[in-house]
Amino acid sequence: MSLSLSENSSTPAQGLQLPPLSLYVHVPWCVRKCPYCDFNSHKADGVIPEELYVEALLQDLISELPAVQGRELQSIFIGGGTPSLLSPDAYQTLFDGMRQHLRFADDIEITMEANPGTFEQERFNGFRKTGINRLSIGVQSFHDSCLQELGRIHSGGEAIKAVAMARAAGFDNINLDLMHGLPGQDEAMAMADLQQAIELKPDHLSWYQLTIEPNTVFWSKPPTLPEDETLWSIQEEGQKLLAEHGLQQYEISAYSRTGRQSRHNLNYWQFGDFIGIGAGAHGKVTDLKRGVIYRNWKTRQPTAYLEAGKLIKEKPFQAGVRELETDELPLEFMMNALRLNQGIEAHLYSERTGLELSDIQFAISKLKSQELLADDNRRIQPTERGSLFLNELLEHFCS
């Protein structure tokens, strides 16, 4: 237990304000489950019941409307699974239904994850016409041998073609998901992957190391991964290469061109609110009237989720809900905010937790003296050293 926090923390609510609101939509189906994936994804056997699923999503959204509290949506992120397995018509119906209940910001960012398989590429034009204006393409690697090890169903060539087709469809805001530290990958291969990604001129790059998560095939049958020394070298050289080509790191694994940071993810990291709809989706909401912040999550299994809409109860799709305790909030806030290289404006701590900044001032001062936080009273920002020892830094905000 850390002794860094004040023993007499404030009760949330006094300074609490409503943060920006985002929406997460989960599509749980994939063509095949990848051995490293721990997300709520399920192999699609036969035809996906997309009409029924969209109907359920809209029912789910209606049950969440009290959480909106008069706000307009700043961003929508459609993740999975493989969201590009649903048709453009399905998304048009979904967005039309959403607009009957919610106000979209004029400059709303709507992101959809897509895989580079040929089947999805043919739909890019249709996706763009629905209002989806940001595409996140799951490349992972351009080496076919690495893709095979990862259980991916596309080739490196198809990934390159997918980006070209997305541009041709009118997408001017594209993220590429790229991993390193893969089975059978050496430093030269990792850097070649990164160079190829750079040559495709993405607006944003999510570049991160493969980690082995519980409840995955890789967890039960671990592959041989590169040594730590190789991983460190890849990280160092990769960051230099990205910076040289105008992709600036703004979060632990996120790099972007100027003005192209993911607005949806920034809202997560700045402790904003988000509603989650879909099988297994999670949400985080500030209830201003009650002065509490809560997290909730939805039924995970697609079949059970589709059946939930028939239940006669207030929130039929909700599998669980939990109010965050006062002593949890400092760590909850910092786990998100300190992922950002620039940190967060100090006043947002009180506005988004309802707690006084003075409650954690001892911890902040101590971390500044250790050069883990920047010496700036207007921001709570990790130093370069602090970002390297983030877990150690966060321990100071545990109750």
Side-chain angles (χ1 to χ4, degrees):
M1 178 179 291
S2 172
L3 300 178
S4 300
L5 299 178
S6 165
E7 292 183 2
N8 299 307
S9 295
S10 304
T11 299
Q14 188 171 5
L16 197 60
Q17 297 183 21
L18 280 179
L21 181 66
S22 296
L23 175 68
Y24 176 75
V25 182
H26 192 77
V27 178
W29 294 284
C30 283
V31 174
R32 183 170 65 193
K33 179 83 170 180
C34 296
Y36 60 86
C37 178
D38 68 335
F39 295 126
N40 184 37
S41 59
H42 305 264
K43 182 180 178 181
D45 293 318
V47 178
I48 293 173
E50 63 176 27
E51 289 185 17
L52 291 174
Y53 195 67
V54 168
E55 184 179 313
L57 287 172
L58 291 172
Q59 283 184 267
D60 193 354
L61 178 65
I62 290 169
S63 74
E64 290 285 350
L65 290 179
V68 175
Q69 300 169 88
R71 290 172 288 182
E72 61 181 18
L73 276 186
Q74 301 299 317
S75 65
I76 299 172
F77 193 100
I78 308 163
T82 306
S84 51
L85 290 178
L86 298 191
S87 70
D89 286 345
Y91 285 111
Q92 191 63 65
T93 301
L94 179 63
F95 296 147
D96 289 346
M98 286 179 177
R99 285 188 170 92
Q100 293 179 24
H101 304 286
L102 291 167
R103 290 181 295 119
F104 287 17
D106 291 340
D107 61 346
I108 190 169
E109 175 192 270
I110 305 179
T111 303
M112 183 181 73
E113 292 181 337
N115 280 345
T118 302
F119 184 73
E120 290 85 2
Q121 290 177 27
E122 295 170 354
R123 299 180 168 199
F124 285 170
N125 283 316
F127 292 141
R128 185 67 187 90
K129 289 176 182 176
T130 68
I132 295 168
N133 53 25
R134 185 173 183 269
L135 210 59
S136 181
I137 302 177
V139 171
Q140 313 312 352
S141 175
F142 294 97
H143 283 87
D144 289 347
S145 59
C146 290
L147 291 169
Q148 289 169 8
E149 289 282 351
L150 292 174
R152 304 295 288 176
I153 61 172
H154 68 272
S155 67
E158 285 176 321
I160 294 170
K161 183 180 177 184
V163 176
M165 294 190 73
R167 293 291 189 201
F171 285 97
D172 61 359
N173 194 356
I174 294 176
N175 169 67
L176 300 183
D177 259 6
L178 191 69
M179 292 195 294
H180 61 86
L182 308 179
Q185 186 184 60
D186 58 23
E187 183 176 347
M189 293 170 71
M191 296 308 293
D193 267 353
L194 197 55
Q195 184 63 53
Q196 176 62 78
I198 290 168
E199 289 174 7
L200 293 173
K201 298 184 173 12
D203 307 280
H204 189 283
L205 185 70
S206 299
W207 186 60
Y208 52 95
Q209 182 181 323
L210 170 67
T211 55
I212 307 301
E213 303 289 352
N215 302 314
T216 64
V217 173
F218 276 179
W219 181 264
S220 57
K221 300 177 181 178
T224 301
L225 301 179
E227 299 291 336
D228 286 347
E229 185 176 339
T230 300
L231 294 172
W232 181 252
S233 181
I234 290 170
Q235 188 71 36
E236 281 193 314
E237 294 305 310
Q239 287 181 324
K240 290 178 187 175
L241 184 63
L242 289 165
E244 288 170 5
H245 288 85
L247 284 157
Q248 298 296 324
Q249 184 180 26
Y250 70 97
E251 187 267 343
I252 290 173
S253 59
Y255 305 75
S256 78
R257 302 196 186 282
T258 303
R260 289 301 197 181
Q261 295 94 337
S262 167
R263 287 170 53 197
H264 187 86
N265 287 343
L266 277 175
N267 192 40
Y268 283 175
W269 297 323
Q270 292 170 348
F271 214 52
D273 279 358
F274 57 96
I275 293 170
I277 62 173
H282 286 239
K284 175 258 174 186
V285 174
T286 302
D287 185 334
L288 202 56
K289 288 183 179 179
R290 296 175 56 227
V292 299
I293 298 168
Y294 65 86
R295 295 189 181 276
N296 66 352
W297 53 97
K298 303 301 172 63
T299 300
R300 287 178 58 85
Q301 289 293 329
T303 302
Y305 181 83
L306 290 170
E307 290 293 318
K310 302 175 184 178
L311 300 176
I312 309 300
K313 61 179 186 177
E314 185 180 357
K315 289 186 176 289
F317 300 95
Q318 185 167 277
V321 61
R322 188 176 73 85
E323 290 183 10
L324 298 181
E325 300 290 339
T326 302
D327 58 6
E328 293 179 89
L329 289 171
L331 180 60
E332 285 273 345
F333 181 89
M334 292 300 177
M335 278 196 305
N336 289 280
L338 295 180
R339 290 179 63 95
L340 296 167
N341 285 18
Q342 296 301 312
I344 197 165
E345 294 178 22
H347 66 86
L348 291 177
Y349 177 78
S350 295
E351 293 174 12
R352 298 195 177 174
T353 66
L355 303 176
E356 294 295 334
L357 187 62
S358 58
D359 293 337
I360 57 170
Q361 195 57 57
F362 179 78
I364 289 174
S365 298
K366 184 175 181 180
L367 291 167
K368 286 180 178 179
S369 71
Q370 295 173 349
E371 299 184 347
L372 295 173
L373 287 181
D375 189 12
D376 184 343
N377 292 330
R378 296 168 301 174
R379 302 191 70 81
I380 303 171
Q381 178 182 358
T383 60
E384 185 174 349
R385 180 168 177 264
S387 293
L388 292 175
F389 297 97
L390 188 58
N391 288 339
E392 177 183 321
L393 192 159
L394 290 173
E395 287 177 2
H396 290 265
F397 299 101
C398 296
S399 59

